Coordinates of all heavy atoms in Angstrom, one line a residue:
M17 N 79.5 147.8 -3.4 CA 79.8 146.3 -3.1 C 79.1 145.9 -1.7 O 79.1 146.8 -0.8 CB 81.3 146.1 -2.9 CG 81.9 145.5 -4.2 SD 83.6 144.9 -3.9 CE 84.6 146.3 -4.0
P18 N 78.7 144.7 -1.7 CA 78.0 144.3 -0.4 C 79.1 144.1 0.7 O 80.2 143.8 0.5 CB 77.4 142.9 -0.8 CG 77.9 142.6 -2.1 CD 78.6 143.7 -2.8
R19 N 78.6 144.3 1.9 CA 79.4 144.1 3.1 C 79.1 142.8 3.8 O 78.0 142.3 3.9 CB 79.2 145.2 4.1 CG 80.1 145.2 5.3 CD 80.0 146.5 6.1 NE 80.6 147.6 5.3 CZ 81.9 147.9 5.3 NH1 82.8 147.1 6.0 NH2 82.4 148.9 4.7
Y20 N 80.2 142.1 4.1 CA 80.1 140.8 4.8 C 80.8 140.9 6.1 O 81.8 141.6 6.3 CB 80.8 139.7 3.9 CG 80.1 139.5 2.6 CD1 80.4 140.3 1.5 CD2 79.2 138.4 2.5 CE1 79.8 140.1 0.3 CE2 78.6 138.2 1.2 CZ 78.9 139.0 0.2 OH 78.3 138.8 -1.1
Y21 N 80.3 140.1 7.1 CA 80.8 140.1 8.4 C 81.4 138.7 8.7 O 80.8 137.7 8.5 CB 79.8 140.5 9.4 CG 79.2 141.8 9.1 CD1 78.2 142.0 8.2 CD2 79.8 142.9 9.7 CE1 77.8 143.3 7.9 CE2 79.3 144.2 9.5 CZ 78.3 144.4 8.5 OH 77.9 145.6 8.2
F22 N 82.6 138.6 9.3 CA 83.4 137.4 9.6 C 83.6 137.2 11.1 O 84.6 137.7 11.6 CB 84.7 137.5 8.9 CG 84.6 137.6 7.4 CD1 84.4 138.9 6.8 CD2 84.5 136.5 6.5 CE1 84.3 139.1 5.4 CE2 84.4 136.7 5.2 CZ 84.3 138.0 4.6
S23 N 82.7 136.6 11.7 CA 82.8 136.4 13.2 C 83.5 135.1 13.5 O 83.3 134.1 12.8 CB 81.4 136.3 13.8 OG 80.8 137.6 13.7
K24 N 84.4 135.1 14.5 CA 85.2 134.0 14.8 C 84.8 133.3 16.1 O 84.4 134.0 17.1 CB 86.7 134.4 15.0 CG 87.3 135.0 13.7 CD 88.7 135.6 14.0 CE 89.2 136.3 12.8 NZ 90.5 136.9 13.1
F25 N 84.7 132.0 16.1 CA 84.3 131.2 17.2 C 85.4 130.1 17.5 O 85.9 129.5 16.5 CB 83.0 130.5 17.0 CG 81.9 131.4 16.8 CD1 81.6 132.0 15.5 CD2 81.1 131.8 17.8 CE1 80.6 132.9 15.3 CE2 80.0 132.7 17.7 CZ 79.8 133.2 16.4
F26 N 85.9 130.1 18.7 CA 87.1 129.2 19.0 C 87.1 128.7 20.4 O 87.0 129.6 21.3 CB 88.4 129.9 18.7 CG 88.5 131.3 19.3 CD1 89.1 131.4 20.5 CD2 87.9 132.4 18.7 CE1 89.1 132.7 21.2 CE2 88.0 133.6 19.3 CZ 88.6 133.8 20.6
N27 N 87.1 127.4 20.6 CA 87.2 126.9 22.0 C 86.4 127.6 23.0 O 86.8 127.9 24.1 CB 88.7 126.9 22.4 CG 89.6 126.0 21.5 OD1 89.1 125.0 20.9 ND2 90.8 126.3 21.4
G28 N 85.2 127.8 22.7 CA 84.2 128.5 23.6 C 84.3 130.0 23.6 O 83.4 130.6 24.2
G29 N 85.2 130.6 22.9 CA 85.3 132.0 22.8 C 84.7 132.5 21.5 O 84.4 131.7 20.6
R30 N 84.5 133.8 21.4 CA 84.0 134.4 20.1 C 84.4 135.8 20.0 O 84.6 136.5 20.9 CB 82.5 134.2 20.1 CG 81.8 135.0 21.1 CD 80.3 134.8 21.0 NE 79.7 135.6 22.1 CZ 78.4 135.7 22.3 NH1 77.6 135.2 21.4 NH2 77.9 136.4 23.3
M31 N 84.6 136.2 18.7 CA 84.9 137.5 18.3 C 83.9 137.9 17.3 O 84.0 137.5 16.1 CB 86.3 137.7 17.8 CG 87.4 137.4 18.9 SD 89.0 137.5 18.3 CE 89.1 139.1 17.6
I32 N 82.9 138.7 17.6 CA 81.9 139.1 16.6 C 82.4 140.3 15.8 O 82.8 141.3 16.4 CB 80.6 139.5 17.4 CG1 80.1 138.3 18.3 CG2 79.5 139.9 16.4 CD1 79.8 137.0 17.5
D33 N 82.3 140.1 14.5 CA 82.7 141.2 13.6 C 81.6 142.2 13.4 O 80.5 141.8 12.8 CB 83.1 140.6 12.3 CG 83.5 141.6 11.2 OD1 83.6 142.8 11.5 OD2 83.8 141.1 10.1
D34 N 81.7 143.4 13.9 CA 80.7 144.4 13.7 C 81.1 145.5 12.7 O 80.4 146.4 12.5 CB 80.3 145.0 15.0 CG 81.4 145.6 15.8 OD1 82.6 145.6 15.3 OD2 81.2 146.1 16.9
L35 N 82.3 145.3 12.1 CA 82.8 146.2 11.1 C 82.5 145.7 9.7 O 82.1 146.4 8.8 CB 84.2 146.6 11.3 CG 84.6 147.3 12.5 CD1 86.1 147.4 12.7 CD2 83.9 148.6 12.7
G36 N 82.8 144.4 9.5 CA 82.7 143.8 8.2 C 83.7 144.2 7.1 O 84.5 145.1 7.4
E37 N 83.6 143.6 6.0 CA 84.5 143.9 4.8 C 83.6 143.9 3.6 O 82.7 143.1 3.5 CB 85.5 142.8 4.7 CG 86.5 142.7 5.8 CD 87.5 141.6 5.5 OE1 87.9 141.4 4.3 OE2 87.9 141.0 6.5
E38 N 84.0 144.7 2.6 CA 83.3 144.6 1.3 C 83.9 143.5 0.5 O 85.1 143.4 0.4 CB 83.4 146.0 0.6 CG 82.6 147.1 1.2 CD 82.7 148.4 0.5 OE1 83.5 148.5 -0.4 OE2 81.8 149.2 0.7
C39 N 83.1 142.7 -0.2 CA 83.5 141.7 -1.0 C 82.7 141.8 -2.3 O 81.5 142.2 -2.3 CB 83.3 140.3 -0.4 SG 84.3 140.0 1.0
A40 N 83.3 141.4 -3.4 CA 82.6 141.5 -4.7 C 81.5 140.5 -4.9 O 80.5 140.7 -5.6 CB 83.6 141.3 -5.9
S41 N 81.6 139.4 -4.1 CA 80.6 138.3 -4.3 C 80.5 137.4 -3.1 O 81.5 137.4 -2.2 CB 80.8 137.5 -5.5 OG 82.1 136.8 -5.3
D42 N 79.5 136.5 -3.0 CA 79.5 135.5 -2.0 C 80.7 134.6 -2.0 O 81.2 134.2 -1.0 CB 78.2 134.7 -2.1 CG 76.9 135.4 -1.7 OD1 77.0 136.6 -1.3 OD2 75.9 134.8 -1.8
A43 N 81.1 134.3 -3.3 CA 82.3 133.4 -3.5 C 83.5 134.0 -2.9 O 84.3 133.3 -2.2 CB 82.4 133.1 -4.9
E44 N 83.7 135.3 -3.1 CA 84.9 136.0 -2.5 C 84.8 135.9 -1.0 O 85.8 135.8 -0.3 CB 85.0 137.4 -3.0 CG 86.3 138.1 -2.4 CD 86.4 139.5 -2.9 OE1 85.7 140.0 -3.8 OE2 87.2 140.2 -2.2
A45 N 83.7 136.2 -0.4 CA 83.5 136.1 1.0 C 83.8 134.7 1.6 O 84.4 134.6 2.6 CB 82.1 136.5 1.4
R46 N 83.4 133.7 0.9 CA 83.7 132.3 1.3 C 85.2 132.1 1.3 O 85.8 131.5 2.2 CB 83.0 131.3 0.4 CG 81.5 131.2 0.7 CD 80.9 130.0 0.0 NE 81.0 130.0 -1.4 CZ 80.2 130.6 -2.3 NH1 79.1 131.2 -1.8 NH2 80.4 130.5 -3.6
R47 N 85.9 132.6 0.2 CA 87.3 132.4 0.1 C 88.0 133.1 1.3 O 88.9 132.6 1.9 CB 87.8 132.9 -1.2 CG 89.3 132.8 -1.4 CD 89.8 133.4 -2.7 NE 89.5 134.8 -2.8 CZ 90.1 135.8 -2.1 NH1 91.1 135.5 -1.3 NH2 89.8 137.1 -2.2
R48 N 87.6 134.3 1.6 CA 88.2 135.0 2.7 C 87.9 134.4 4.0 O 88.8 134.4 4.9 CB 87.6 136.5 2.7 CG 88.2 137.4 1.6 CD 87.8 138.8 1.9 NE 88.2 139.6 0.7 CZ 88.0 140.9 0.7 NH1 87.5 141.6 1.8 NH2 88.4 141.6 -0.4
A49 N 86.8 133.7 4.2 CA 86.5 133.0 5.4 C 87.5 131.9 5.6 O 88.0 131.6 6.7 CB 85.1 132.5 5.4
V50 N 87.8 131.1 4.6 CA 88.7 130.0 4.7 C 90.1 130.5 5.0 O 90.8 129.9 5.8 CB 88.7 129.2 3.4 CG1 89.8 128.1 3.4 CG2 87.3 128.5 3.2
E51 N 90.5 131.6 4.4 CA 91.8 132.2 4.7 C 91.8 132.6 6.1 O 92.9 132.4 6.8 CB 92.1 133.3 3.7 CG 92.3 132.9 2.3 CD 92.5 134.1 1.4 OE1 92.2 135.3 1.8 OE2 92.8 133.9 0.2
A52 N 90.8 133.3 6.6 CA 90.8 133.8 8.0 C 90.8 132.6 9.0 O 91.4 132.7 10.0 CB 89.6 134.6 8.2
L53 N 90.1 131.5 8.6 CA 90.0 130.3 9.5 C 91.4 129.7 9.7 O 91.8 129.4 10.8 CB 89.1 129.3 8.9 CG 88.9 128.0 9.6 CD1 88.3 128.3 11.0 CD2 88.0 127.1 8.8
S54 N 92.2 129.6 8.6 CA 93.5 129.1 8.7 C 94.4 130.0 9.6 O 95.1 129.5 10.5 CB 94.2 129.0 7.3 OG 93.4 128.1 6.5
A55 N 94.3 131.2 9.4 CA 95.1 132.2 10.2 C 94.7 132.1 11.7 O 95.5 132.1 12.6 CB 95.0 133.6 9.7
A56 N 93.4 132.1 12.0 CA 92.9 132.0 13.3 C 93.4 130.7 14.1 O 93.8 130.8 15.2 CB 91.4 132.1 13.4
A57 N 93.4 129.6 13.4 CA 93.8 128.4 14.0 C 95.3 128.4 14.2 O 95.7 127.9 15.3 CB 93.4 127.2 13.0
L58 N 96.0 129.0 13.3 CA 97.5 129.0 13.6 C 97.8 130.0 14.7 O 98.7 129.7 15.5 CB 98.2 129.4 12.3 CG 98.3 128.4 11.2 CD1 98.8 128.9 9.9 CD2 99.1 127.2 11.7
E59 N 97.1 131.1 14.8 CA 97.3 132.0 15.9 C 97.0 131.4 17.3 O 97.7 131.5 18.2 CB 96.5 133.3 15.8 CG 97.0 134.2 14.7 CD 96.0 135.3 14.4 OE1 95.1 135.6 15.2 OE2 96.1 135.9 13.3
G60 N 95.9 130.6 17.3 CA 95.4 130.0 18.5 C 96.2 128.8 19.0 O 96.1 128.5 20.1
S61 N 96.9 128.2 18.1 CA 97.7 127.0 18.5 C 99.0 127.0 17.8 O 99.3 126.2 16.9 CB 96.9 125.7 18.1 OG 96.7 125.7 16.7
A62 N 99.8 128.0 18.2 CA 101.1 128.2 17.5 C 102.0 127.0 17.5 O 102.7 126.7 16.5 CB 101.8 129.3 18.2
D63 N 101.9 126.1 18.5 CA 102.7 124.9 18.5 C 102.0 123.7 17.9 O 102.6 122.7 17.7 CB 103.2 124.6 19.9 CG 102.0 124.2 20.8 OD1 100.9 124.3 20.4 OD2 102.3 123.9 22.0
L64 N 100.8 123.9 17.5 CA 99.9 122.9 16.9 C 99.8 121.6 17.7 O 99.5 120.6 17.3 CB 100.5 122.5 15.5 CG 100.4 123.6 14.4 CD1 101.0 123.1 13.1 CD2 99.0 124.1 14.2
A65 N 100.1 121.7 19.0 CA 100.0 120.6 19.9 C 98.7 120.7 20.7 O 98.3 119.7 21.3 CB 101.2 120.6 20.9
C66 N 98.0 121.8 20.7 CA 96.8 121.9 21.5 C 95.6 121.5 20.6 O 95.8 121.4 19.4 CB 96.6 123.2 22.0 SG 96.4 124.5 20.8
K67 N 94.5 121.2 21.2 CA 93.3 120.8 20.4 C 92.3 121.9 20.5 O 92.2 122.7 21.4 CB 92.8 119.4 20.9 CG 92.3 119.4 22.3 CD 91.9 118.0 22.7 CE 91.5 118.0 24.2 NZ 91.1 116.7 24.6
G68 N 91.4 121.9 19.5 CA 90.3 122.8 19.5 C 89.6 122.9 18.2 O 90.0 122.3 17.2
A69 N 88.5 123.6 18.3 CA 87.7 123.8 17.1 C 87.6 125.3 16.8 O 87.5 126.1 17.7 CB 86.3 123.3 17.3
Y70 N 87.7 125.6 15.5 CA 87.7 127.0 15.1 C 86.6 127.2 14.0 O 86.6 126.3 13.1 CB 89.0 127.4 14.5 CG 90.1 127.3 15.6 CD1 90.8 126.1 15.7 CD2 90.5 128.4 16.3 CE1 91.8 125.9 16.7 CE2 91.5 128.2 17.3 CZ 92.1 127.0 17.5 OH 93.1 126.8 18.4
S71 N 85.8 128.2 14.0 CA 84.8 128.5 13.0 C 84.8 129.9 12.7 O 85.0 130.8 13.5 CB 83.4 128.0 13.5 OG 83.3 126.7 13.7
I72 N 84.5 130.2 11.4 CA 84.2 131.5 10.9 C 82.8 131.5 10.4 O 82.5 130.7 9.5 CB 85.2 131.9 9.8 CG1 86.7 131.8 10.2 CG2 84.9 133.3 9.2 CD1 87.1 132.9 11.1
H73 N 81.9 132.4 10.9 CA 80.6 132.5 10.4 C 80.5 133.8 9.5 O 80.8 134.9 10.0 CB 79.6 132.6 11.5 CG 79.5 131.4 12.3 ND1 78.4 131.0 13.0 CD2 80.4 130.4 12.6 CE1 78.6 129.9 13.7 NE2 79.8 129.5 13.4
V74 N 80.1 133.6 8.3 CA 80.0 134.8 7.4 C 78.5 135.2 7.3 O 77.6 134.3 7.0 CB 80.5 134.4 6.0 CG1 80.3 135.6 5.0 CG2 81.9 133.9 6.0
T75 N 78.2 136.4 7.6 CA 76.9 136.9 7.5 C 76.8 138.1 6.6 O 77.8 138.8 6.3 CB 76.3 137.4 8.9 OG1 77.2 138.3 9.5 CG2 76.2 136.2 9.9
D76 N 75.6 138.4 6.0 CA 75.4 139.5 5.2 C 75.0 140.7 6.0 O 74.9 140.7 7.2 CB 74.5 139.2 4.0 CG 73.1 138.9 4.4 OD1 72.7 139.1 5.6 OD2 72.3 138.4 3.6
E77 N 74.6 141.8 5.3 CA 74.3 143.0 5.9 C 73.0 142.9 6.7 O 72.7 143.7 7.6 CB 74.1 144.1 4.9 CG 75.5 144.5 4.3 CD 75.4 145.4 3.1 OE1 74.5 145.1 2.2 OE2 76.2 146.3 3.0
T78 N 72.1 141.9 6.4 CA 70.9 141.7 7.1 C 71.0 140.8 8.3 O 70.1 140.6 9.1 CB 69.8 141.1 6.2 OG1 70.1 139.8 5.9 CG2 69.6 141.9 4.9
G79 N 72.3 140.2 8.5 CA 72.5 139.3 9.6 C 72.3 137.8 9.2 O 72.4 136.9 10.1
R80 N 71.9 137.6 8.0 CA 71.7 136.2 7.5 C 73.1 135.5 7.4 O 74.0 136.0 6.8 CB 71.0 136.2 6.2 CG 70.6 134.8 5.7 CD 69.8 134.9 4.4 NE 70.4 135.7 3.4 CZ 70.8 135.2 2.2 NH1 70.5 133.9 1.9 NH2 71.4 135.9 1.3
V81 N 73.1 134.3 8.0 CA 74.4 133.5 7.9 C 74.4 132.9 6.5 O 73.5 132.2 6.1 CB 74.4 132.3 9.0 CG1 75.7 131.5 8.8 CG2 74.4 132.9 10.4
L82 N 75.5 133.1 5.8 CA 75.7 132.6 4.4 C 76.6 131.4 4.3 O 76.5 130.6 3.4 CB 76.3 133.8 3.5 CG 75.5 135.0 3.4 CD1 76.2 136.1 2.7 CD2 74.1 134.8 2.8
Y83 N 77.6 131.3 5.2 CA 78.6 130.3 5.2 C 79.2 130.1 6.5 O 79.4 131.1 7.3 CB 79.7 130.8 4.2 CG 80.7 129.8 3.8 CD1 80.4 128.7 3.0 CD2 82.0 130.0 4.2 CE1 81.4 127.8 2.7 CE2 83.0 129.1 3.9 CZ 82.7 128.0 3.1 OH 83.7 127.1 2.8
V84 N 79.5 128.9 6.9 CA 80.2 128.6 8.1 C 81.4 127.7 7.7 O 81.2 126.6 7.0 CB 79.4 127.8 9.1 CG1 80.1 127.4 10.3 CG2 78.2 128.7 9.5
A85 N 82.6 128.1 8.0 CA 83.8 127.3 7.8 C 84.3 126.8 9.2 O 84.5 127.6 10.1 CB 84.9 128.1 7.1
T86 N 84.6 125.5 9.3 CA 85.0 125.0 10.6 C 86.3 124.1 10.4 O 86.4 123.4 9.4 CB 84.0 124.1 11.2 OG1 82.8 124.9 11.3 CG2 84.3 123.6 12.6
L87 N 87.2 124.2 11.4 CA 88.4 123.5 11.4 C 88.6 122.9 12.8 O 88.5 123.7 13.7 CB 89.6 124.4 11.0 CG 91.0 123.7 11.1 CD1 91.2 122.6 10.0 CD2 92.1 124.8 10.9
S88 N 88.9 121.6 12.9 CA 89.1 121.0 14.2 C 90.5 120.4 14.2 O 91.0 119.8 13.3 CB 88.1 119.8 14.4 OG 86.8 120.3 14.4
L89 N 91.2 120.7 15.3 CA 92.5 120.2 15.6 C 92.5 119.2 16.8 O 92.2 119.7 17.9 CB 93.5 121.3 15.8 CG 93.6 122.4 14.7 CD1 94.5 123.5 15.2 CD2 94.2 121.8 13.5
F90 N 92.9 118.0 16.6 CA 92.9 117.0 17.6 C 94.1 116.2 17.5 O 94.1 115.2 16.8 CB 91.6 116.2 17.7 CG 90.4 117.0 18.0 CD1 89.6 117.5 17.0 CD2 90.1 117.3 19.3 CE1 88.5 118.2 17.3 CE2 89.0 118.0 19.6 CZ 88.2 118.5 18.6
P91 N 95.2 116.5 18.2 CA 96.5 115.7 18.1 C 96.2 114.3 18.7 O 95.5 114.2 19.7 CB 97.5 116.5 18.9 CG 96.9 117.8 19.2 CD 95.4 117.7 19.0
L92 N 96.8 113.4 18.1 CA 96.7 112.0 18.6 C 97.9 111.6 19.5 O 99.0 112.0 19.2 CB 96.6 111.0 17.4 CG 95.5 111.3 16.4 CD1 95.5 110.3 15.3 CD2 94.1 111.1 17.2
D93 N 97.6 110.9 20.5 CA 98.6 110.5 21.5 C 99.4 109.4 20.8 O 98.8 108.4 20.4 CB 97.9 110.0 22.7 CG 98.9 109.6 23.8 OD1 100.1 109.6 23.6 OD2 98.4 109.2 24.9
Q94 N 100.7 109.6 20.7 CA 101.6 108.6 20.1 C 101.5 107.2 20.8 O 101.6 106.2 20.1 CB 103.0 109.1 20.1 CG 103.2 110.2 19.2 CD 103.0 110.0 17.7 OE1 103.2 108.8 17.2 NE2 102.5 110.9 17.0
E95 N 101.2 107.1 22.0 CA 101.2 105.9 22.7 C 100.0 105.0 22.3 O 100.0 103.8 22.3 CB 101.1 106.1 24.3 CG 102.4 106.6 24.8 CD 102.4 106.8 26.3 OE1 101.5 106.2 27.0 OE2 103.2 107.6 26.8
T96 N 98.9 105.7 22.0 CA 97.6 105.0 21.6 C 97.5 104.8 20.1 O 96.7 104.0 19.7 CB 96.4 105.7 22.1 OG1 96.4 107.0 21.5 CG2 96.4 105.8 23.6
T97 N 98.3 105.4 19.4 CA 98.2 105.3 17.9 C 99.5 104.7 17.2 O 99.5 104.7 16.0 CB 97.9 106.7 17.2 OG1 99.0 107.6 17.5 CG2 96.6 107.2 17.7
G98 N 100.4 104.3 18.1 CA 101.7 103.8 17.5 C 101.5 102.5 16.8 O 100.4 101.9 16.8
P99 N 102.6 101.9 16.2 CA 102.5 100.7 15.4 C 102.2 99.5 16.3 O 102.1 99.3 17.3 CB 104.0 100.5 14.9 CG 104.8 101.6 15.5 CD 103.9 102.5 16.2

């Protein structure tokens, strides 16, 4: 099975995956990236009150980027968005 690497980028930080995971297909790697993105965003903003951007970059064994999943969290100030 091919090996895919899931590097995380968040609020200026990064965690480069140098171990990777085996996945049956590109589609499975994309699914895992979306799952990892959700988990990373929840870990980084447990109270969901902070803002930030989170990305997972999926690369193959040659280092080619296959997929980028991004999630942005920007809470709105109630005073400026109220009725």
Side-chain angles (χ1 to χ4, degrees):
M17 261 196 275
R19 184 166 290 277
Y20 296 85
Y21 299 85
F22 301 86
S23 296
K24 299 175 184 177
F25 297 84
F26 51 94
N27 295 333
R30 64 182 177 174
M31 294 176 58
I32 303 301
D33 180 6
D34 56 0
L35 298 176
E37 296 179 35
E38 290 184 343
C39 296
S41 66
D42 288 358
E44 182 183 345
R46 286 191 299 271
R47 183 186 56 75
R48 286 190 186 183
V50 171
E51 290 171 354
L53 180 62
S54 300
L58 287 172
E59 287 171 16
S61 60
D63 64 0
L64 296 179
C66 66
K67 61 183 174 181
Y70 302 85
S71 293
I72 303 286
H73 294 207
V74 180
T75 55
D76 65 11
E77 294 169 315
T78 68
R80 182 173 60 115
V81 178
L82 301 174
Y83 187 71
V84 176
T86 303
L87 175 66
S88 297
L89 300 174
F90 293 98
L92 300 176
D93 182 359
Q94 293 296 327
E95 291 181 19
T96 61
T97 59

